[in-house]
Amino acid sequence: MCPVVMGNKIVGVYQKHNDTIIPTPEIKHFLNGIGERRPIGFGSLDIWHQDMVDAQLRRHFRMSHDTTGVLITKIDPLSNALKVLKKHDVILAIEGIPVNNDGTVHFQKKEWLGLDELVSMKKPGETALVKILRDGKEQAFNVSLNFTTQRLVPYKFLPSYYILGGFVFMALSEPCIDRSRKDICDCALYRMATKAGEQIVIISQVLLDDINKEYSKFTNFEVKKVNGVEVVNLKHLSELIENCCTEDLRFDLEKGNVIVLNKKSAKEATSVTLERYGIPSAMSDDLQ
């Protein structure tokens, strides 16, 4: 990182790895959080929006000649904004500050910010006054702000695992996506979480044993259900297995594929697998 200077003032910090500039208001927000000894977070509407520079697009959404704004194209299913805002609302202003057709807002004299950066000046849990145009009529809502979007497929690798009968179950993250499977988990990178704590659970590896030799081709497949119950996350999957009272365990995978394991035999195979591969436990510490 290096400072960005305009005249004799520092106006931000340049991040070389993603070619962006962190503006001074965001830096002050971060430093104030440290000084107040509170959790450091940035408020977010958790929405996606489209520029409205094109006159035909503005006319279609019944914007007048002197009206500017951006079009909401998607709202995160876990966002508080979903309670009051709708897809294809036009955001006209935030906290009384007009939004330009390119998504920028005029902030403090000569400073310009993106719409999302303006919202991030607030803390999660605070509200932002959002003025919109819906079906040609202007409306205003106080929207409670979220933390930034919960990614269904996080950037970082989460060292959690659960092993049964040689199947190694893990929560999908970007580093463990097999680039040779372009369709992995039905284009999971474009999906969004619909429940708090939701993860995509996959069979990341099959440690070969007689009980699983016919299923080795299902490496990197998503596990949708265990005994008919939809899997929320890796911990939930482990609980469904550990608390199963039936003789067989049925795993419904993506694309309609099915795995069936005898629970007793799978547990016995697990002990053999752990010893064979020198693995100390069938599950990571966070699941125990």
Side-chain angles (χ1 to χ4, degrees), residues 163-168 207-209 211-212 266 268-279:
I163 300 174
L164 177 75
F167 292 96
V168 182
L207 305 174
L208 288 179
D209 185 90
I211 198 171
N212 62 40
E268 292 171 353
T270 301
S271 299
V272 174
T273 300
L274 296 181
E275 184 176 354
R276 180 185 299 145
Y277 290 92
I279 303 171

Side-chain angles (χ1 to χ4, degrees), residues 93-279:
I94 300 287
E95 293 291 299
I97 303 175
V99 177
N100 295 317
N101 290 326
D102 63 357
T104 60
V105 293
H106 192 193
F107 184 78
Q108 295 182 354
K109 298 180 181 178
K110 296 182 179 180
E111 196 162 359
W112 293 84
L113 294 176
L115 166 63
D116 297 330
E117 293 169 332
L118 177 64
V119 174
S120 72
M121 295 300 97
K122 288 180 170 285
K123 307 180 190 72
E126 292 184 337
T127 60
L129 180 62
V130 182
K131 183 181 178 183
I132 65 161
L133 184 70
R134 180 183 296 166
D135 299 327
K137 297 179 181 179
E138 293 186 4
Q139 301 181 51
F141 300 100
N142 280 306
V143 182
S144 178
L145 301 178
N146 296 60
F147 283 95
T148 51
T149 303
Q150 172 190 317
R151 283 177 56 88
L152 186 58
V153 182
Y155 293 116
K156 295 184 178 180
F157 176 77
L158 303 175
S160 295
Y161 68 89
Y162 179 86
I163 300 174
L164 177 75
F167 292 96
V168 182
F169 300 96
M170 297 184 73
L172 182 68
S173 61
E174 285 201 27
C176 69
I177 289 181
D178 180 1
R179 299 299 177 182
S180 66
R181 267 202 69 201
K182 302 300 184 183
D183 64 334
I184 185 170
C185 298
D186 299 324
C187 300
L189 290 175
Y190 301 100
R191 289 162 54 186
M192 293 187 294
T194 58
K195 305 181 184 73
E198 185 177 0
Q199 297 173 323
I200 293 176
V201 179
I202 64 168
I203 299 170
S204 69
Q205 195 173 357
V206 181
L207 305 174
L208 288 179
D209 185 90
D210 286 343
I211 198 171
N212 62 40
K213 61 184 179 182
E214 301 299 332
Y215 297 125
S216 59
K217 63 183 178 182
F218 293 130
T219 300
N220 284 334
F221 273 62
E222 179 182 358
V223 183
K224 297 282 192 177
K225 296 179 181 180
V226 175
N227 286 349
V229 180
E230 290 189 8
V231 174
V232 177
N233 51 42
L234 183 61
K235 184 171 179 61
H236 184 222
L237 175 135
S238 70
E239 291 170 348
L240 290 173
I241 294 172
E242 295 297 321
N243 298 327
C244 172
C245 298
T246 59
E247 182 179 353
D248 288 339
L249 283 161
R250 169 173 168 159
F251 299 88
D252 284 83
L253 312 182
E254 61 178 292
K255 300 181 179 178
N257 294 289
V258 177
I259 291 174
V260 176
L261 297 175
N262 177 274
K263 183 181 179 181
K264 182 180 178 181
S265 299
K267 283 289 187 179
E268 292 171 353
T270 301
S271 299
V272 174
T273 300
L274 296 181
E275 184 176 354
R276 180 185 299 145
Y277 290 92
I279 303 171

